[in-house]
Amino acid sequence: MEQYRIEPGKKFKLADFSADDLGDFDGKKQKGNEKLAENRADLVELQELLYSEHKHRLLIVLQAMDGGGKDGTIRSVFEGVNPQGVRIASFKTPTQMELDHDYLWRIHSQTPGKGEIVVFNRSQYEDVLVVRVHNLVPREVWKKRYQQINDFERQLSEEGTTILKFFLNISLEEQKQRFLERLEMPQKRWKFNPGDLAERKLWPEYMKAFEEAIQKTSTKWAPWYVVPANRNWYRNLVVSSVIVDTLKAMKMEYPNPAIDVEAFKKQLAEG
Ligand code: AMP
Ligand code: MG
């Protein structure tokens, strides 16, 4: 899945990444789903390890256009994982209190503690995406934020937080199909937001903002992955594979407290 990781400092063109790409799994959906099931089982175990070891923190950032599948990714990838060890933080239009602080204030307060996995459904990147596209702050203000975000993420990383960032890349046509589905299916209609159609008109501006954000903030300590997301099963496979590989590389072990097991067993045997 390394093919989807954006090399720090290298020129990045979103147009080089197809939303339809299926990598080595082209024509192998069944195999992809088997691998996804394997990843889920691995993740259940790795999360237990992370929690019990109480040493590492894992932060997963999800960004996408509307309909890009952030919710579906969370539902699918974390299926079966102990809900006590995973927290989802969703960032909506900032409240008055959030606006009264700096833009990283609400973000920092939601970062993971030791042993915890936190998934950001939207993130600090909204402040260089929607905020840029809609001129919610002057250019000279958002321009500085790429560096600020890199510094912020580096600090988290130096203090023991592993950061993975995913851009779920759907095409304009796929978004149209998903919006139509939302309109047509009664159980999905609640998700349809008329405002999303206005955002859709700004697609090129958003792509430009995503391209620059990813180019400027894919770092060694917090890499971006551009995930082909037109097919849900492949998107889930890519995201889960990166997470599992990252957790495996931590070489975690269950704590083995120095206690006299035999003595305690004897005590228990005595009633
Ligand atoms: P949803 O995730 O579909 O519930 O929508 C959340 C909305 O909040 C989206 O339209 C985002 O663009 C918006 N949003 C999130 N963060 C910010 C931000 N920092 N500034 C302005 N709008 C934001
Ligand atoms: Mg929405």
Side-chain angles (χ1 to χ4, degrees):
M1 298 302 170
E2 294 312 305
Q3 55 188 308
Y4 304 123
R5 191 178 54 207
I6 305 309
E7 279 306 312
K10 227 175 107 189
K11 184 87 193 132
F12 162 65
K13 279 247 153 296
L14 202 44
D16 295 339
F17 288 75
S18 164
D20 284 312
D21 184 24
L22 297 174
D24 295 338
F25 286 83
D26 201 351
K28 297 180 186 161
K29 180 171 175 183
Q30 165 118 25
K31 215 166 150 247
N33 276 324
E34 281 164 21
K35 175 81 178 128
L36 173 60
E38 227 174 83
N39 285 348
R40 284 196 190 110
D42 283 350
L43 191 56
V44 167
E45 208 177 311
L46 287 159
Q47 184 278 327
E48 287 279 340
L49 261 171
L50 185 91
Y51 186 84
S52 65
E53 209 191 38
H54 201 71
K55 187 169 152 192
H56 300 277
R57 313 170 173 100
L58 180 61
L59 173 60
I60 296 162
V61 171
L62 295 183
Q63 286 288 163
M65 293 298 284
D66 298 310
K70 300 187 299 298
D71 300 323
T73 302
I74 294 169
R75 197 166 51 227
S76 166
V77 170
F78 291 94
E79 190 184 308
V81 173
N82 182 350
Q84 290 211 85
V86 181
R87 188 157 51 82
I88 315 301
S90 298
F91 296 97
K92 309 280 183 186
T93 309
T95 63
Q96 190 56 52
M97 199 205 270
E98 286 168 346
L99 284 173
D100 284 347
H101 290 78
D102 71 274
Y103 69 100
L104 291 174
W105 178 74
R106 65 172 183 166
I107 305 292
H108 205 160
S109 70
Q110 296 285 354
T111 54
K114 284 180 181 167
E116 203 180 19
I117 298 174
V118 171
V119 183
F120 279 3
N121 185 337
R122 304 184 189 269
S123 66
Q124 59 272 29
Y125 288 96
E126 293 292 325
D127 291 282
V128 288
L129 295 167
V130 63
V131 167
R132 166 180 172 160
V133 169
H134 287 279
N135 300 307
L136 299 180
V137 301
R139 183 185 178 85
E140 47 296 1
V141 173
W142 61 253
K143 270 278 171 195
K144 289 190 183 133
R145 290 182 171 172
Y146 303 105
Q147 187 60 46
Q148 289 165 356
I149 290 172
N150 283 342
D151 290 342
F152 168 67
E153 291 175 352
R154 194 183 51 228
Q155 187 233 316
L156 290 179
S157 152
E158 284 173 356
E159 290 281 322
T161 302
T162 300
I163 306 170
L164 297 172
K165 302 182 293 201
F166 298 99
F167 170 52
L168 310 178
N169 184 27
I170 58 163
S171 63
L172 186 60
E173 177 56 30
E174 179 64 22
Q175 190 195 50
K176 183 195 277 184
Q177 294 313 318
R178 292 181 184 201
F179 284 172
L180 283 171
E181 194 178 81
R182 283 182 183 180
L183 285 171
E184 267 153 28
M185 293 175 70
Q187 67 273 36
K188 287 203 175 177
R189 202 164 293 152
W190 65 274
K191 271 201 145 184
F192 183 79
N193 173 3
D196 290 352
L197 296 189
E199 296 312 292
R200 178 175 162 78
K201 290 219 170 72
L202 297 167
W203 187 276
E205 285 81 0
Y206 271 105
M207 289 306 112
K208 209 170 148 224
F210 266 111
E211 193 167 72
E212 188 168 344
I214 292 168
Q215 160 91 58
K216 291 198 160 141
T217 64
S218 197
T219 55
K220 222 168 63 216
W221 57 88
W224 273 106
Y225 291 81
V226 174
V227 180
N230 274 2
R231 299 282 77 80
N232 294 349
W233 64 269
Y234 190 64
R235 171 201 74 202
N236 297 336
L237 174 63
V238 172
V239 172
S240 64
S241 296
V242 172
I243 296 172
V244 164
D245 290 349
T246 301
L247 285 168
K248 279 186 176 163
M250 290 178 184
K251 304 254 176 275
M252 298 179 287
E253 282 175 27
Y254 284 108
N256 189 8
I259 52 173
D260 189 340
V261 175
E262 289 312 314
F264 285 119
K265 275 164 79 176
K266 198 164 154 243
Q267 266 191 47
L268 284 165
E270 284 160 5

